[in-house]
């Protein structure tokens, strides 16, 4: 079985909830970036030992949170030693708006993964874009790059859309399966 780590920052609980769904699908370990942008003790070692790394951050002002960016900048040490080279990577994000420029966050994750010599994996799901589609369908927000979640700004993480959470779970399972055959 592949070792998968979900490393993420969550500001208000929505990204945490999506991270939990992704981790459930991947049977992964959650590694939370704290409010100061730091990993817990042993975090860097866990990432070095992982077969796959999944990034998660809310989309704030069209990109990752500053806490995630601090983590990303600190990853220059494993970059220098090529510690994460050839690992499977993926990423997910959440925002209050249907668009909210979430693709900028996912593209940031892809660039970070490529900087580390990683192998990026997207959702692998078609879109639900017919008249019969429902907001609770898998990949309703139509992202190939990674799961996106949308929850109104005045709604809690507990009120997240079931389809977005299921998209995350299926994505986690896909990453784990890809890492297992690598």
């Amino acid at each position: 079985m592949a070792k998968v780590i979900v490393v993420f920052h969550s500001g208000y609980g929505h990204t945490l909830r999506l991270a939990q769904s992704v981790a459930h699908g991947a049977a992964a370990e959650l590694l939370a970036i704290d409010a100061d942008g730091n990993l817990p003790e042993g975090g860097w070692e866990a990432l070095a030992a992982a077969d796959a790394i999944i990034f998660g951050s809310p989309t704030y002002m069209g990109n990752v949170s500053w806490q995630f960016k601090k983590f990303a900048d600190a990853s220059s040490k494993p970059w220098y030693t090529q510690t994460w080279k050839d690992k499977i990577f993926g990423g997910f994000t959440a925002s209050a708006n249907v668009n909210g420029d979430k693709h900028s966050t996912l593209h940031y994750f892809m660039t970070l993964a490529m900087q580390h010599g990683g192998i990026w994996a997207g959702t692998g799901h078609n879109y639900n874009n017919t008249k019969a589609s429902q907001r609770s369908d898998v990949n309703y927000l139509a992202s190939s790059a990674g799961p996106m979640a949308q929850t109104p700004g005045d709604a809690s993480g507990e009120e997240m859309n079931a389809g977005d959470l299921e998209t995350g779970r299926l994505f986690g399972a896909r990453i784990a399966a890809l890492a297992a055959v690598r």
Side-chain angles (χ1 to χ4, degrees):
M1 184 170 203
K3 181 176 180 177
V4 181
I5 303 286
V6 177
V7 59
F8 71 98
H9 172 255
S10 182
Y12 299 99
H14 303 89
T15 308
L16 167 62
R17 184 108 189 271
L18 186 54
Q20 290 167 335
S21 292
V22 171
H24 175 73
E29 176 185 336
L30 288 171
L31 188 59
I33 299 167
D34 70 18
D36 294 321
N38 300 310
L39 291 179
E41 189 171 328
W44 292 106
E45 293 80 9
L47 290 165
D51 299 302
I53 299 171
I54 304 173
F55 299 136
S57 173
T59 295
Y60 293 157
M61 303 305 292
N63 213 323
V64 298
S65 66
W66 72 263
Q67 292 90 340
F68 189 92
K69 179 69 166 89
K70 180 180 174 183
F71 154 77
D73 287 350
S75 77
S76 62
K77 186 173 181 181
W79 167 83
Y80 186 76
T81 59
Q82 294 289 284
T83 304
W84 298 351
K85 185 176 182 172
D86 294 329
K87 292 181 187 292
I88 302 291
F89 283 87
F92 60 90
T93 189
S95 74
N97 296 309
V98 174
N99 181 326
D101 296 317
K102 287 187 279 294
H103 255 284
S104 296
T105 300
L106 293 174
H107 285 216
Y108 179 84
F109 292 153
M110 282 187 266
T111 300
L112 181 60
M114 296 304 106
Q115 289 281 318
H116 281 279
I119 303 163
W120 186 262
T123 61
H125 289 288
N126 286 333
Y127 314 132
N128 281 296
N129 59 4
T130 66
K131 289 192 288 184
S133 298
Q134 300 293 308
R135 177 62 183 91
S136 59
D137 287 344
V138 168
N139 205 19
Y140 181 84
L141 295 178
S143 175
S144 298
M148 295 179 174
Q150 181 273 325
T151 307
D154 59 351
S156 72
E158 294 304 313
E159 298 174 88
M160 289 182 71
N161 184 282
D164 294 347
L165 296 172
E166 180 63 5
T167 303
R169 188 190 69 74
L170 293 169
F171 175 70
R174 180 170 199 248
I175 295 290
L178 290 170
V181 297
R182 195 182 139 277

